[in-house]
Amino acid sequence: MKTETINKLCCPFDKGNLGLTEITKDVNDNILEGFFVCSSCKRLYPIVRGIPIMSPDEYREFKLEQPLMERWQKHLKGQKFENFRLTEPEQIEN
């Protein structure tokens, strides 16, 4: 995915801004792996082999995306991937 394309994208559900996490790039600085997260609805859209997966929830398969999230766990900064959204980890009360 070319970096100039990123500025043209928004969340297809609520038109929110997308934050980008880059994981791997090629020699031309094109993004090969990474993900977008919508600033308002917290939906996560993976980038696989340079292609962003931005399908509606009903056309996505959680079990196909789950291995990516497990591999990218350190990039999620403690957040969980549930229902195609990032959620904060539950706080344990004492």
Side-chain angles (χ1 to χ4, degrees):
M1 166 174 242
K2 295 183 182 222
T3 51
E4 58 265 11
T5 306
I6 294 166
N7 295 329
K8 298 176 184 177
L9 297 176
C10 65
C11 178
F13 290 92
D14 59 17
K15 309 298 183 231
N17 291 327
L18 297 173
L20 172 66
T21 299
E22 299 173 2
I23 296 177
T24 59
K25 294 170 126 181
D26 66 13
V27 295
N28 297 318
D29 272 345
N30 294 317
I31 300 166
L32 298 176
E33 280 191 342
F35 55 87
F36 293 110
V37 176
C38 176
S39 61
S40 35
C41 70
K42 303 301 181 203
R43 276 188 177 82
L44 185 144
Y45 303 103
I47 301 169
V48 180
R49 295 184 181 163
I51 300 169
I53 311 299
M54 299 181 82
S55 302
D57 293 352
E58 59 267 19
Y59 296 112
R60 293 171 70 180
E61 291 191 47
F62 185 80
K63 64 183 172 183
L64 294 177
E65 294 182 27
Q66 188 62 34
L68 283 173
M69 297 306 114
E70 289 171 4
R71 196 170 81 214
W72 297 344
Q73 190 64 42
K74 68 178 180 181
H75 300 282
L76 298 179
K77 300 177 183 163
Q79 296 177 311
K80 294 184 179 185
F81 180 62
E82 298 174 349
N83 298 319
F84 306 111
R85 293 173 177 82
L86 283 184
T87 59
E88 295 296 326
E90 292 181 20
Q91 299 292 325
I92 299 172
E93 294 184 27
N94 293 327

